[in-house]
């Protein structure tokens, strides 16, 4: 067998092995919609915010409406001034883990607001883990 044919044959076999491995890896990876379903079943049921020494602090309660415990909930918030302009964003986690099915947990998110501009805010669940 010619060296060029051997090289081409080995290259094709190597490529097939790489593609097959990639397909197996993609099929076994967790899919986005599964994680998203965790988030869609988490509800902020109460929150309030106030400026404390230049920091707009949002305290709230999130409820786990999933039929299973959630180990971590990551939340985010955006604070806006009186004209609707974004002042700052921040992230936070629940203070209790895991959150049992049907249970609630408190959270705190802090926004940098030294000029006391934040008048409204939007808080939401960003991500969650089972």
């Amino acid at each position: 067998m010619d060296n060029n044919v051997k090289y081409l044959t080995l290259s094709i076999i190597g490529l097939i092995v790489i593609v097959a491995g990639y397909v197996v890896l993609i099929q076994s990876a967790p899919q986005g919609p599964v994680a998203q379903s965790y988030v869609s079943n988490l509800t902020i049921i109460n929150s309030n915010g106030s400026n404390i020494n230049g920091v707009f602090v949002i305290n709230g309660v999130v409820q786990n409406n999933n039929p299973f415990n959630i180990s971590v909930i990551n939340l985010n918030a955006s604070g806006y001034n009186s004209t609707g302009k974004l002042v700052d964003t921040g992230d936070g986690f629940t203070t209790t883990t895991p959150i049992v099915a049907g249970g609630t947990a408190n959270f705190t998110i802090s926004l940098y607001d030294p000029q006391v501009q934040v008048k409204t805010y939007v808080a939401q669940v960003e991500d969650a883990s089972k």
Side-chain angles (χ1 to χ4, degrees), residues 50-108:
S50 60
N51 195 297
I52 303 169
N53 299 321
V55 177
F56 191 83
V57 179
I58 302 164
N59 291 301
V61 178
V62 63
Q63 183 168 19
N64 177 12
N65 299 310
N66 289 293
F68 45 79
N69 296 352
I70 295 291
S71 62
V72 177
I73 298 176
N74 182 16
L75 301 104
N76 66 26
S78 300
Y80 302 92
N81 68 13
S82 60
T83 65
K85 181 179 176 189
L86 180 65
V87 174
D88 194 27
T89 61
D91 294 302
F93 294 90
T94 53
T95 56
T96 304
T97 56
I99 299 99
V100 298
T104 61
N106 297 325
F107 68 88
T108 300

